[in-house]
Amino acid sequence: MHFTELAAYQDTDVPVITRGEGPYVYDTNGKRYLDGLAGLFVSQVGHGRTEIAEAIAEQSRKLAYFPIWTYAHPTAIELADRLADLAPGDLNRVFFTTSGSEAVESAWKLARQYFKLIGQPTRHKVISRRIAYHGTTMGALSITGLQAIKTPFEPLVPSTIQVPNTNIYRAPVHGDDPEAFGRWAADQVEEAILQNDPESIAAVYVEPVQNSGGCFPPPPGYFQRLREICDRYGVLLVSDEVICAFGRVGAYFGAQRFDYLPDIITFAKGVTSGYVPMGGLIAREHLVEPFREAGNTFLHGSTFAGHPVAAAAALANLDIFEREGLIDHVQANAPAFRATLEKLLDLPIVGDVRGEGYFYGIELVKDKETKETFTDEEAHRLLKGFLSPALFDAGLVCRADDRGEPVVQLSPPLICGPEHFAEMESILREVLTEAWQRI
């Protein structure tokens, strides 16, 4: 099992989920669980959508597979057009992959070859944020800011640089002034560019809301300042939206929600709501222009990218978004989600509740006044030894994560409403209360 401590199941049965319906999933014993993580930030429209299954079946009968290497097929064309229409500004060029990691890596390869073609071959380095997760393939893992999951696979791809993230709860400066903190955090990117030779920097990778570490939203003005810095030094701004795209933060793309124009958007997960794997990137027009010249080719691709069945699933998924007004639904219900989770701040173990849209993290502390956190051993015992199994046993699928400070993450399907928020809060309150008593 992926990212799983196998020893934990030597004397315990592995949970087996057999079916899903709406925002709920069911195990082999028929027990119901609220899918508070949307699988893995994936199931935007919920489980058991027959219209997506029917679209998959119809496409499989018509054209189950054909590559997009020198060819095209109708579903990939239609989906690319639709994504270009949804994306901001002149992000009109779509390159498909089969996963988020591949999307992140493809964006790096595009940036590097683009700069070679326009006569700036020294630009190859990438700046990303500390604790940020960008994927597991060797290039994406190199960009990732989590050293613990990188060390077993070193040496990795060189040329990656980490800068501070936007966790204002633990801000080293300006913790009481979000705008000043946002400017400081963005300025750390400029400092990294200057320290590492501006003409060697190809791209800056950022998530609209950083996942790893527990949902860090951007401070006011952060992305606008970051855009200015990237423009000043000729660096590409990559918005990694593998999680944040397709309604997760209340817009089709996080860049729209926070009002900035990236050069590349990477996506995956929610584009099909997980019914078939798919990912990709959307690039601005100027990045594709050099490849339109005779003799130039973007020397990258994969067998299953733009798969007809995956594209059909994505189109059916987007049809549901439009028909049911899911973006408006998230925008209307996000304040209630926040308010419901913030009720947990009365618990002594809850230090911070943060996030955006339907994407939240709850940071756990030993002392609310001092923000004292847990030791590595305490965090392991708290999260893996108690919280993860206890929350699941109580009927809630979520993530108890120790990448950074201990957090519980929630990312429910976008079809959820106040009754599901209340269910999450009730389970969390009961289990977190018991967790505090065990400290």
Side-chain angles (χ1 to χ4, degrees):
M1 294 174 288
H2 298 204
F3 282 107
T4 299
E5 191 175 320
L6 299 184
Y9 291 106
Q10 287 182 346
D11 302 311
T12 305
D13 291 336
V14 175
V16 178
I17 302 301
T18 59
R19 68 183 182 92
E21 182 178 345
Y24 294 96
V25 293
Y26 299 79
D27 68 13
T28 48
N29 299 314
K31 183 177 177 179
R32 190 180 81 167
Y33 303 84
L34 177 58
D35 186 2
L37 204 61
L40 196 60
F41 318 107
V42 169
S43 303
Q44 316 294 68
V45 301
H47 303 279
R49 290 286 194 160
T50 57
E51 53 265 68
I52 300 182
E54 288 165 359
I56 289 170
E58 181 182 353
Q59 182 61 46
S60 298
R61 287 190 292 267
K62 187 184 302 181
L63 180 66
Y65 170 73
F66 207 75
I68 54 173
W69 296 37
T70 73
Y71 306 97
H73 55 76
T75 49
I77 294 169
E78 184 180 352
L79 179 59
D81 282 343
R82 198 157 175 181
L83 292 173
D85 287 342
L86 291 173
D90 66 339
L91 284 116
N92 295 326
R93 299 293 180 168
V94 179
F95 182 88
F96 289 115
T97 67
T98 55
S99 72
S101 294
E102 290 174 76
V104 167
E105 196 139 330
S106 298
W108 194 4
K109 293 180 78 172
L110 175 61
R112 291 176 76 153
Q113 191 178 355
Y114 164 78
F115 281 120
K116 289 183 187 301
L117 290 177
I118 66 169
Q120 300 180 37
T122 59
R123 290 190 183 270
H124 62 278
K125 298 176 184 175
V126 167
I127 295 172
S128 59
R129 300 186 293 199
R130 291 180 193 138
I131 319 179
Y133 176 83
H134 291 287
T136 56
T137 54
M138 293 299 273
L141 185 61
S142 302
I143 297 171
T144 289
L146 291 159
Q147 189 57 44
I149 67 170
K150 298 168 71 162
T151 301
F153 308 104
E154 291 177 332
L156 297 173
V157 182
S159 309
T160 60
I161 304 153
Q162 267 76 54
V163 295
N165 56 50
T166 60
N167 182 9
I168 194 169
Y169 181 67
R170 296 196 175 277
V173 296
H174 305 304
D176 58 349
D177 187 339
E179 289 190 13
F181 174 64
R183 186 174 183 86
W184 173 86
D187 285 348
Q188 302 312 297
V189 174
E190 182 173 34
E191 186 173 327
I193 291 172
L194 293 171
Q195 288 181 346
N196 290 277
D197 180 8
E199 293 184 0
S200 74
I201 308 298
V204 175
Y205 274 69
V206 286
E207 297 165 277
V209 176
Q210 182 173 317
N211 168 39
S212 185
C215 302
F216 305 148
Y222 173 78
F223 278 116
Q224 290 68 36
R225 174 68 173 156
L226 199 55
R227 180 71 269 179
E228 292 174 5
I229 291 168
C230 288
D231 288 342
R232 180 178 304 137
Y233 297 101
V235 174
L236 302 182
L237 179 58
V238 179
S239 188
D240 182 358
E241 306 212 17
V242 169
I243 288 177
C244 289
F246 305 106
R248 180 56 52 196
V249 296
Y252 275 107
F253 295 100
Q256 295 163 322
R257 170 64 185 84
F258 299 113
D259 192 26
Y260 65 97
L261 184 65
D263 297 294
I264 301 173
I265 289 175
T266 59
F267 66 88
K269 296 185 184 288
V271 67
T272 66
S273 283
Y275 282 74
V276 181
M278 180 173 242
L281 65 83
I282 313 173
R284 294 182 68 182
E285 289 283 358
H286 72 277
L287 296 180
V288 179
E289 284 306 310
F291 297 97
R292 297 169 63 86
E293 297 179 12
N296 292 343
T297 301
F298 183 33
L299 295 171
H300 179 51
S302 60
T303 301
F304 296 111
H307 195 287
V309 175
L315 289 167
N317 180 54
L318 292 174
D319 285 344
I320 293 172
F321 267 77
E322 293 183 9
R323 185 171 65 250
E324 299 184 5
L326 286 184
I327 300 297
D328 291 340
H329 177 80
V330 172
Q331 291 175 356
N333 286 278
F337 188 35
R338 176 187 289 273
T340 301
L341 294 179
E342 285 180 342
K343 293 178 182 178
L344 297 169
L345 286 167
D346 67 356
L347 298 178
I349 197 173
V350 175
D352 192 29
V353 174
R354 56 180 177 255
E356 187 71 30
Y358 274 30
F359 187 33
Y360 272 82
I362 301 167
E363 184 168 331
L364 309 180
V365 294
K366 284 204 296 188
D367 189 310
K368 288 170 74 83
E369 293 299 320
T370 65
K371 301 182 183 179
E372 181 185 0
T373 190
F374 298 88
T375 66
D376 290 345
E377 188 277 329
E378 289 170 334
H380 187 276
R381 180 160 40 89
L382 173 67
L383 297 179
K384 296 181 179 176
F386 175 69
L387 274 179
S388 288
L391 287 165
F392 187 74
D393 289 344
L396 177 63
V397 177
C398 59
R399 170 184 266 179
D401 192 8
D402 61 355
R403 299 177 301 175
E405 312 302 340
V407 296
V408 174
Q409 280 187 292
L410 296 158
S411 173
L414 307 187
I415 58 174
C416 285
E419 69 275 21
H420 305 107
F421 307 154
E423 184 177 352
M424 283 183 259
E425 192 272 343
S426 176
I427 293 172
L428 285 163
R429 179 172 294 278
E430 179 180 349
V431 174
L432 289 174
T433 298
E434 184 176 348
W436 178 255
Q437 294 169 351
R438 288 169 171 260
I439 295 175

